[in-house]
Amino acid sequence: MMRSTSVLGQMIARVADDDDYRRWAGQVERAGYCVRPIRLSGTATTIHQGTGEVAARYDSSDEPGGVLLVACKDRRESVCPPCAARYRADAWHVFAAGVRAGRDDAAHESADESADGLDHGDEPGGNPIVLATFTAPSFGKVHAFRDGGICRAVRGGQGGERGKRGKGMCEHGRPLGCPARHDGADALVGAPLCVDCADLAGQVLWNAHVGELWRRTVIYVYRALAALAPALGGRPVGVRQIRELLRVSYVKVAEFQRRGVVHLHVLARLDGVNPDDPDAVLPAPAWAGVELLTAALRQAAGRVNVALPVVDARTAAVARWGRQLDVRLVAARDVDAARVAGYLAKYATKTVSDSVSGLPASRPAAGDGGDDGSGGRLAGHVAALTATVRKLARLATCRTLRLARHVHTLGFRGHVTSKSRRYSTTFTALRERRRAWRRAQAGQDRGHDPWAHDGGGAMVVVGDWKIAGIGYHTFGDRVLADVLGREHRQARQAMRLGLTE
């Protein structure tokens, strides 16, 4: 039978055999309706480690097309929306669990003892938690969205340039202000008023060191807690004693601004410490309230710095946080936990390309020092930033930063989402719970599914796999999978709204 080259023909060929189509649709469902699944060929065998008995065996040759479809599990919304939705949901649980950790009992007691509706999240005996936004410093004036207001009022020139270039002009002859009223979609928003005046090298190096800057910030927070804590037993509290009494647990999410620089959204929580059970989340001491945590964060942000490589006489020698630091109390109520978790989770699936137009979502395959993957469609200031990243990557002082691998992120080398060890549950634990739920749903009807027998510690799954390809075999398959995914999402939405049983 001749293979059809039209999309409609490919779709008809897929549904022609009812049994094959059901098996293929089942694979699409188990892959979470991924838009670019990994096609694997091979076998998986479940073996009892004690006896060597084979409990189940799977061979992909029995499947339609001879392959097994596995979700790509990419967290980025711009790459795979279904996989990103699952990652976002898992991130929500990680964030929300940390807000509620150690506070459920106190919240329930408050609800039983009082019906006044007041916020008891910062009362003694709880775990004070705040949402803090750490921003980057200025690297030069940029075009801004002012919600209908003027971008930047024109002011006088800088120093002697006022007479040389005229009022309101920089040393390169460009205006220091912008009378336009930009809207949020304007491509100029985030672009420097003068690319030559902007410290692009400092901006790239700041992106590259923001992870180290946060690591040192945590150290400085403990120092600030020791300095700000009330005297215990008539003597000042040292950093070592503070670490024996308090623990700073956190989760952070990185977000790129339109100007191409990263800032951090951080959920920071104060916990008590049990030396006999370090993993336990205990209420903080009565004297360690939200005011102490807020003051410690502000003091640490104002003092911490990281030395930067020397690249020229113009770029700053150290990286610091910007002057804007927003710190807000997060209450113990479930509605606040859900709201703040949802706020952070939406950033967990974004990339720099979502904020800075023209950049690719993934690292280009062209090589370390070459194309940025944009095909030459970058805006002027973005092209200047990517050129700066490649220029710095060639300097000996920046060699350890491996900036050539991070042109598409404008130098940012960290993870978008990360947390301290004891903030809350983990993504791994959530995935294991999901697998356990699926095994429980299968019950005794496990058949020849090797993964359904993986619940006991005596069983081990031995796999022999190779990648047959990435993405659906035909565009017709991709269209059918999109239709199945849309129907699945509509059915779930109807169930949530109570429209179906």
Side-chain angles (χ1 to χ4, degrees):
M1 180 178 178
M2 184 175 295
R3 182 178 173 183
S4 175
T5 57
S6 69
V7 176
L8 180 59
Q10 293 166 355
M11 296 171 66
I12 293 174
R14 172 59 68 191
V15 301
D17 188 312
D18 187 63
D19 183 60
D20 270 9
Y21 175 70
R22 289 180 183 276
R23 290 179 64 86
W24 177 83
Q27 284 204 50
V28 173
E29 179 183 5
R30 286 189 292 273
Y33 305 97
C34 175
V35 301
R36 51 188 295 275
I38 314 299
R39 304 198 308 274
L40 299 178
S41 63
T43 62
T45 307
T46 300
I47 302 174
H48 193 284
Q49 297 186 78
T51 64
E53 177 186 359
V54 176
R57 189 175 189 277
Y58 173 87
D59 194 327
S60 67
S61 62
D62 299 330
E63 299 289 352
V67 295
L68 173 67
L69 300 181
V70 179
C72 70
K73 301 179 182 179
D74 200 301
R75 68 159 187 87
R76 295 165 295 182
E77 179 79 20
S78 57
V79 175
C80 182
C83 289
R86 174 165 293 181
Y87 182 91
R88 186 164 52 247
D90 285 351
W92 185 93
H93 285 287
V94 171
F95 301 155
V99 176
R100 293 190 292 257
R103 306 175 73 176
D104 286 335
D105 293 339
H108 292 159
E109 290 174 4
S110 297
D112 293 338
E113 296 173 3
S114 174
D116 55 11
L118 297 178
D119 177 15
H120 298 277
D122 58 347
E123 288 185 353
N127 297 71
I129 183 168
V130 297
L131 174 62
T133 300
F134 292 80
T135 60
S138 174
F139 298 99
K141 295 181 179 180
V142 299
H143 292 275
F145 167 58
R146 305 290 185 187
D147 196 17
I150 293 177
C151 173
R152 287 190 180 274
V154 179
R155 296 183 174 88
Q158 296 175 344
E161 297 301 324
R162 182 175 300 181
K164 185 183 299 184
R165 294 290 185 181
K167 184 177 180 180
M169 306 294 285
C170 73
E171 60 181 295
H172 304 99
R174 298 186 179 96
L176 292 173
C178 174
R181 301 177 187 270
H182 304 294
D183 59 33
D186 195 328
L188 272 179
V189 174
L193 296 182
C194 176
V195 174
D196 295 319
C197 288
D199 183 11
L200 300 185
Q203 181 171 333
V204 170
L205 291 176
W206 196 91
N207 284 339
H209 287 82
V210 68
E212 175 63 14
L213 185 61
W214 171 252
R215 187 189 71 84
R216 296 193 182 188
T217 300
V218 175
I219 297 174
Y220 273 69
V221 168
Y222 279 106
R223 294 177 181 176
L225 287 172
L228 297 170
L232 299 180
R235 293 186 297 179
V237 183
V239 176
R240 178 176 297 181
Q241 188 177 4
I242 276 291
R243 287 183 175 271
E244 293 174 352
L245 298 171
L246 292 174
R247 178 174 63 234
V248 180
S249 299
Y250 67 86
V251 65
K252 63 181 176 69
V253 179
E255 180 200 5
F256 264 87
Q257 295 177 311
R258 293 283 294 273
R259 57 181 173 142
V261 70
V262 73
H263 64 204
L264 301 182
H265 301 287
V266 181
L267 272 174
R269 188 186 70 219
L270 278 183
D271 300 334
V273 178
N274 182 354
D276 298 326
D277 186 7
D279 292 330
V281 178
L282 301 180
W287 49 267
V290 68
E291 295 84 2
L292 177 66
L293 176 58
T294 301
L297 289 171
R298 292 191 181 279
Q299 185 178 114
R303 295 183 177 181
V304 67
N305 64 77
V306 174
L308 296 178
V310 177
V311 295
D312 53 41
R314 177 183 175 187
T315 302
V318 297
R320 302 179 186 273
W321 295 114
R323 290 180 295 177
Q324 295 181 349
L325 173 61
D326 182 57
V327 183
R328 302 186 182 186
L329 168 68
V330 178
R333 295 186 297 262
D334 287 342
V335 64
D336 292 288
R339 185 181 297 116
V340 73
Y343 174 75
L344 293 183
K346 71 178 181 180
Y347 295 117
T349 57
K350 293 185 179 295
T351 65
V352 59
S353 62
D354 294 317
S355 300
V356 183
S357 59
L359 289 175
S362 306
R363 180 182 297 121
D368 282 350
D371 185 21
D372 50 35
S374 63
R377 298 184 299 273
L378 293 178
H381 73 286
V382 182
L385 279 170
T386 57
T388 301
V389 177
R390 289 192 290 269
K391 176 183 176 181
L392 294 177
R394 294 190 290 267
L395 298 180
T397 54
C398 299
R399 189 170 300 163
T400 58
L401 300 179
R402 304 179 70 185
L403 290 175
R405 295 173 54 85
H406 304 282
V407 176
H408 65 298
T409 59
L410 303 181
F412 177 62
R413 305 178 298 146
H415 293 285
V416 171
T417 304
S418 60
K419 71 180 189 67
S420 60
R421 179 179 178 181
R422 298 180 178 92
Y423 172 78
S424 70
T425 186
T426 64
F427 285 93
T428 301
L430 290 173
R431 295 179 185 124
E432 181 54 39
R433 291 292 296 272
R434 189 155 48 234
R435 294 191 200 99
W437 182 86
R438 288 174 177 168
R439 287 194 292 266
Q441 293 297 307
Q444 299 299 321
D445 187 23
R446 297 178 178 179
H448 299 287
D449 185 354
W451 297 278
H453 295 73
D454 193 28
M459 296 291 186
V460 60
V461 179
V462 179
D464 180 18
W465 300 98
K466 64 179 181 179
I467 297 179
I470 299 177
Y472 290 99
H473 191 58
T474 66
F475 193 75
D477 285 353
R478 166 69 183 272
V479 173
L480 281 174
D482 286 344
V483 172
L484 292 174
R486 185 166 59 251
E487 291 177 347
H488 172 74
R489 291 188 294 272
Q490 290 173 349
R492 291 193 63 180
Q493 183 67 14
M495 185 175 296
R496 289 193 182 111
L497 296 175
L499 301 178
T500 60
E501 296 183 357

